Amino acid sequence: MHPIKNFTTLFKPRFWHAGTSMGQAQTLFNYRRFFLGSVSIRAFVSIVPMAILLMFTYMLQDTAIENENHLRTVRLTSNTRRTITYFLQERLDALKFIVQQKDVEALMASDELPQVLHNLKMGFGGFVDLGLIDDSGFQISYSGPFSLKGKNYEDQEWFIRCAEEGTYVSDVFLGYRNLPHMIVALRWPMEDSTFYILRATLDIQKLIQILSSLDLAEKSEAFLCSRNGLLQTPSKYYGKMLERMDLPVPEYSIHSQVVEAVDKTGNPILIGYAYIEDSPFILMVVKRSVEIMKGWHSIRQKINWFFGMSVVTTLVVVLCISTLMMNKIYDADQTRLKAIERLETSSRLISVGRLAAGVAHEINNPLAVIGENAGLIKDLFTLRKEYKQDKHLMELVDAVLESVERSGQITKELLGFARHFEPKITPIQLSKTVSDVLSFHRKEASYRNIDIHVDVPEDIPVIYSDHGRLQQILLNLINNAFQAMKNGGELDISVRKEGEKTVSIRVRDTGLGISPEDEKRIFEPFFTTKGPEGGIGLGLSITFGLVRKLKGDISVQSKLGEGTTFVINLPIDTQGEIRNEGPAR
Amino acid sequence: MKVLLVDDEEKFVSRLAERLEIRGFEADWTTTSDGALSKAENEEYDIAVLDVKMPRLSGIDLKKGLEKLVPKMKFIFVSGHGSEEDYDIGIREGAFYLTKPFKIETLVERIKEALNL
């Protein structure tokens, strides 16, 4: 068989392309439906639980990873908040330190404040300028890049709030310098209930550095916004500096929080936020969900690929198993159907046999009456000379007697067909039986130019069977073969041992052969291909019945124009076979 | 030779009797087993030709009755059935058996064989 064809038989059952030629089997079962049902159910029970398990795992894993990301974002937000809070607190503490260490007069001296500012820049960094304002809002001393000494801040909000609350941290703003900066201020109370305010301007680059040093993915970022949503540090994706950001201002919470949201382009995002204490800032850590899940999605892709391969493998195995099983069922059914067909043929033969016997009996009696009456007429005519010489009259009576005799012969044949007595089992040497039967035909074979070959090996055992019936079987088959070889030919008779319990006798001729349609009906009673001049079509039915009586079976193979072979399989011990069938038979 | 023919088919048995007479036998016939028994009481027959299947008394039973009356009487069975069982019965009963229809010559041969003629 071709390798590809061989391979496809693993997946395609034998009955798949059988079509209507299946005959009876096709009408009994829809094997294709069974096969598809079997494949579907097996595939369903194999793949669906696997898919459900996978989906369930995905759901659990999604939730776990989501929780993990929330936690990480909260932790990052919380840590960054602490850093920024510390940064601001440190600057305020530096101012407090100056207040505690210096006195106002000293700071008002023209060379003292620049010295302090220098120390702050060197010690902490981020300081731009430093000013001392009295309680009327007048800047009495200033050190920095601008000339702001004498400027009055009495109406400025920061001045009022610092005077009331003691400390102040401003939003980021551009101010006179048109550079983003912020201020921190500290009230300095005097013993006479007046006060001064020490005010410093901070460069926000330090804050930006803190935020940009965070280890975030490419499209994730951290920035500060004010409580009314203005961006305090630069943002790559959510708006311009000092303008309203593209995200809603998160709800106030004392703790660091995480919320899920969607950005303006519709991408899902995760926002970690924290309100920075004692400042107008809100820390925002924004992560793109796609980026967060990237690692997990890559693993998921691998799992999906593995799942896909498993499904394909399962389907292949299911197809193979289903094909194998359905082939077995199909073969078993075919065997069963053949057995049923044989049984039907055999029971039809028995019924016909019984009917034939009944008919024969009913006909034999009136035939006997006709025969005896015609016989008496002939006897009487023979006694009287005047009738004896009447040839025409004698011919008429003889015709009646001949017809009676012929009819009697037919009814005897019918009765022979219906015989059902117990066989007489004796030991038989097949070579001798075949030779005995052929002895009747040798002369005829030489006249008709038929070559006879006999092949009975010496190791063929003695069989126990009914000698008379076996002779009749062989006689019938040899007669048939002779009739099929009108213009000579070859007749082969061979005997072989088949296994431990069976011998097979093969009778082959090179005659006319039988058409496939006739082959199916060849053992039916009254079926004949020999026309009106031949027999009545009981020869092979009787042979069939006799072989069955001997617990054997008979089959025929034929090709029109080439010849016919009859094969008889007989048990070596027929008596044993009968015993095995039990007393009920 | 005296032959008693018993068969429920009159047209058969009467013609058979005539034909046997033509062939030199003394043939008597009847269609019932009772008739056969009463004839055997009055006449000593050498051989009886009996139908196996007859109403009331079968050929086998009639043979037993006739044997009581004429112990040395021989028998030939005839039947339209012609089955192997009937043949076996014939053998068992020590009698010839013929299937109807048969040639008169065959019957004559069997009678002669039975009577060792």
Side-chain angles (χ1 to χ4, degrees):
Chain A
M1 196 187 277
H2 193 274
I4 295 174
K5 205 173 172 189
N6 199 3
F7 181 70
T8 56
T9 55
L10 286 173
F11 308 104
K12 197 183 273 180
R14 278 195 278 282
F15 51 79
W16 196 256
H17 289 304
T20 50
S21 63
M22 293 291 302
Q24 199 174 1
Q26 193 76 357
T27 60
L28 279 178
F29 304 109
N30 188 338
Y31 289 99
R32 273 193 186 199
R33 210 183 65 198
F34 282 2
F35 175 70
L36 291 175
S38 158
V39 170
S40 311
I41 291 168
R42 280 163 203 270
F44 182 82
V45 297
S46 313
I47 294 168
V48 167
M50 207 154 63
I52 289 173
L53 189 69
L54 192 70
M55 278 166 62
F56 191 64
T57 310
Y58 280 177
M59 275 165 60
L60 285 180
Q61 199 66 21
D62 278 351
T63 314
I65 288 174
E66 216 167 80
N67 290 341
E68 171 70 15
N69 275 317
H70 278 219
L71 204 66
R72 279 187 188 185
T73 310
V74 167
R75 207 179 298 140
L76 180 68
T77 309
S78 193
N79 289 343
T80 313
R81 176 172 75 162
R82 265 199 298 281
T83 310
I84 290 169
T85 307
Y86 176 72
F87 173 82
L88 296 173
Q89 195 60 49
E90 194 182 40
R91 268 73 197 155
L92 276 171
D93 288 347
L95 295 182
K96 276 181 194 168
F97 179 76
I98 296 164
V99 166
Q100 280 167 9
Q101 291 295 315
K102 306 279 182 184
D103 53 29
V104 176
E105 284 75 24
L107 278 183
M108 278 193 277
S110 62
D111 59 343
E112 186 63 18
L113 205 58
Q115 186 58 46
V116 172
L117 178 63
H118 176 74
N119 290 342
L120 285 173
K121 278 182 182 173
M122 297 307 288
F124 297 95
F127 284 88
V128 178
D129 62 9
L130 192 64
L132 186 67
I133 298 119
D134 65 13
D135 58 3
S136 60
F138 187 74
Q139 184 152 267
I140 52 176
S141 181
Y142 171 80
S143 172
F146 304 101
S147 176
L148 297 173
K149 190 176 175 184
K151 191 166 170 56
N152 194 331
Y153 294 107
E154 186 187 11
D155 299 330
Q156 296 278 317
E157 193 202 342
W158 69 265
F159 177 79
I160 299 163
R161 281 183 57 188
C162 185
E164 283 172 3
E165 293 168 16
T167 57
Y168 177 75
V169 178
S170 76
D171 284 355
V172 175
F173 60 100
L174 291 172
Y176 300 119
R177 299 155 224 181
N178 205 27
L179 281 171
H181 64 279
M182 59 181 287
I183 54 169
V184 288
L186 179 75
R187 196 175 71 158
W188 189 351
M190 297 290 123
E191 286 175 359
D192 57 356
S193 75
T194 60
F195 66 87
Y196 292 91
I197 286 175
L198 190 60
R199 171 189 182 271
T201 301
L202 299 179
D203 185 356
I204 64 161
Q205 282 308 314
K206 258 296 200 205
L207 277 176
I208 293 171
Q209 268 177 19
I210 292 170
L211 295 171
S212 60
S213 67
L214 298 176
D215 187 18
L216 292 169
E218 194 191 339
K219 292 195 173 173
S220 300
E221 61 174 330
F223 53 84
L224 292 175
C225 70
S226 66
R227 297 194 181 199
N228 54 8
L230 296 179
L231 277 167
Q232 303 292 288
T233 56
S235 163
K236 282 188 275 185
Y237 305 108
Y238 302 103
K240 289 180 180 168
M241 184 81 179
L242 298 176
E243 285 182 10
R244 183 166 291 281
M245 66 174 176
D246 297 331
L247 300 170
V249 177
E251 198 180 321
Y252 176 77
S253 169
I254 196 164
H255 301 294
S256 301
Q257 294 291 337
V258 172
V259 288
E260 285 173 8
V262 178
D263 67 10
K264 65 177 181 184
T265 53
N267 294 318
I269 50 174
L270 196 66
I271 305 171
Y273 71 92
Y275 279 72
I276 311 285
E277 284 169 61
D278 302 325
S279 83
F281 301 133
I282 306 169
L283 169 65
M284 301 279 282
V285 177
V286 185
K287 292 180 174 176
R288 290 267 175 102
S289 298
V290 178
E291 284 184 329
I292 300 170
M293 303 300 274
K294 203 173 172 183
W296 164 233
H297 282 156
S298 134
I299 294 170
R300 233 164 103 149
Q301 216 166 10
K302 282 178 190 161
I303 295 174
N304 284 346
W305 186 84
F306 182 75
F307 175 70
M309 291 303 291
S310 303
V311 168
V312 171
T313 312
T314 307
L315 282 176
V316 168
V317 171
V318 161
L319 263 176
C320 279
I321 291 175
S322 295
T323 305
L324 193 74
M325 274 189 58
M326 285 305 297
N327 274 345
K328 295 243 180 234
I329 292 171
Y330 170 72
D331 289 347
D333 280 347
Q334 288 301 299
T335 312
R336 194 163 59 91
L337 281 169
K338 278 179 192 156
I340 291 170
E341 270 173 31
R342 273 206 300 274
L343 202 67
E344 279 173 359
T345 309
S346 153
S347 86
R348 199 161 58 233
L349 288 179
I350 290 167
S351 309
V352 172
R354 283 182 185 149
L355 179 72
V359 170
H361 181 223
E362 290 307 316
I363 289 172
N364 270 350
N365 281 324
L367 269 182
V369 173
I370 297 168
E372 290 314 315
N373 281 279
L376 182 57
I377 292 169
K378 191 181 176 185
D379 286 351
L380 293 173
F381 285 175
T382 313
L383 291 174
R384 295 185 184 175
K385 281 182 183 172
E386 63 267 38
Y387 295 124
K388 196 177 178 181
Q389 283 161 358
D390 191 335
K391 279 188 175 176
H392 182 60
L393 211 55
M394 288 310 287
E395 274 171 14
L396 292 175
V397 175
D398 281 342
V400 173
L401 286 171
E402 270 170 35
S403 295
V404 167
E405 197 180 336
R406 182 150 185 263
S407 303
Q409 206 55 43
I410 289 170
T411 53
K412 275 172 193 159
E413 205 177 323
L414 284 171
L415 285 163
F417 174 68
R419 278 173 191 166
H420 49 279
F421 58 94
E422 290 299 309
K424 289 167 189 130
I425 307 297
T426 52
I428 296 167
Q429 202 139 32
L430 280 171
S431 54
K432 189 174 182 304
T433 306
V434 172
S435 148
D436 285 352
V437 172
L438 280 174
S439 64
F440 296 112
H441 292 83
R442 294 262 182 217
K443 201 165 254 177
E444 192 186 348
S446 67
Y447 290 145
R448 292 177 53 182
N449 205 18
I450 293 170
D451 289 334
I452 299 175
H453 310 284
V454 179
D455 176 15
V456 186
E458 282 183 5
D459 63 344
I460 295 296
V462 168
I463 71 164
Y464 291 83
S465 198
D466 184 311
H467 192 253
R469 287 179 178 187
L470 190 56
Q471 273 189 330
Q472 197 182 343
I473 290 165
L474 288 171
L475 263 173
N476 285 354
L477 293 181
I478 292 165
N479 275 333
N480 257 308
F482 270 56
Q483 281 166 5
M485 295 188 283
K486 302 254 185 249
N487 303 316
E490 286 181 15
L491 173 69
D492 293 334
I493 301 175
S494 60
V495 181
R496 294 283 179 276
K497 195 174 169 211
E498 303 282 345
E500 288 302 307
K501 294 183 172 176
T502 311
V503 287
S504 113
I505 304 167
R506 194 174 285 264
V507 180
R508 187 182 75 85
D509 68 59
T510 55
L512 299 168
I514 310 159
S515 72
E517 294 80 41
D518 290 346
E519 202 177 300
K520 286 179 201 161
R521 302 181 58 201
I522 198 81
F523 295 116
E524 282 182 18
F526 305 112
F527 177 78
T528 178
T529 56
K530 293 169 194 158
E533 74 277 7
I536 57 167
L538 281 176
L540 281 174
S541 320
I542 290 170
T543 306
F544 182 91
L546 290 171
V547 173
R548 303 290 288 177
K549 287 278 178 219
L550 298 182
K551 304 296 164 198
D553 60 66
I554 180 168
S555 61
V556 62
Q557 294 155 8
S558 187
K559 209 162 190 185
L560 213 53
E562 289 184 16
T564 306
T565 306
F566 285 94
V567 181
I568 306 156
N569 289 313
L570 288 175
I572 290 175
D573 181 6
T574 304
Q575 197 68 56
E577 292 293 316
I578 295 167
R579 268 198 308 276
N580 289 342
E581 287 186 7
R585 302 274 174 108
Chain B
M1 288 296 115
K2 281 191 166 185
V3 184
L4 175 62
L5 302 166
V6 189
D7 194 302
D8 57 342
E9 186 61 68
E10 188 188 332
K11 285 173 191 166
F12 167 74
V13 74
S14 60
R15 306 298 183 261
L16 192 61
E18 269 190 74
R19 295 186 78 193
L20 285 175
E21 287 202 342
I22 289 168
R23 280 159 183 78
F25 292 94
E26 262 185 72
D28 208 350
W29 60 271
T30 172
T31 57
T32 62
S33 41
D34 293 337
L37 290 169
S38 80
K39 276 183 187 291
E41 276 175 13
N42 302 324
E43 200 78 48
E44 197 170 311
Y45 295 100
D46 298 298
I47 188 163
V49 177
L50 308 178
D51 189 8
V52 176
K53 286 186 173 62
M54 283 193 298
R56 215 180 75 75
L57 213 57
S58 75
I60 312 298
D61 296 329
L62 178 60
K63 175 178 175 269
K64 285 171 189 161
L66 291 172
E67 270 175 337
K68 281 181 190 166
L69 293 171
V70 189
K72 61 175 186 176
M73 193 188 269
K74 303 289 181 192
F75 297 93
I76 290 174
F77 287 113
V78 294
S79 169
H81 208 277
S83 71
E84 291 286 339
E85 283 91 334
D86 288 345
Y87 184 80
D88 284 355
I89 288 164
I91 300 292
R92 199 169 60 236
E93 297 292 330
F96 284 112
Y97 172 85
L98 288 174
T99 306
K100 289 185 203 172
F102 48 79
K103 285 184 178 176
I104 187 77
E105 288 75 19
T106 313
L107 178 65
V108 170
E109 269 176 37
R110 294 286 172 272
I111 291 171
K112 284 179 177 170
E113 272 182 63
L115 297 174
N116 292 320
L117 293 176

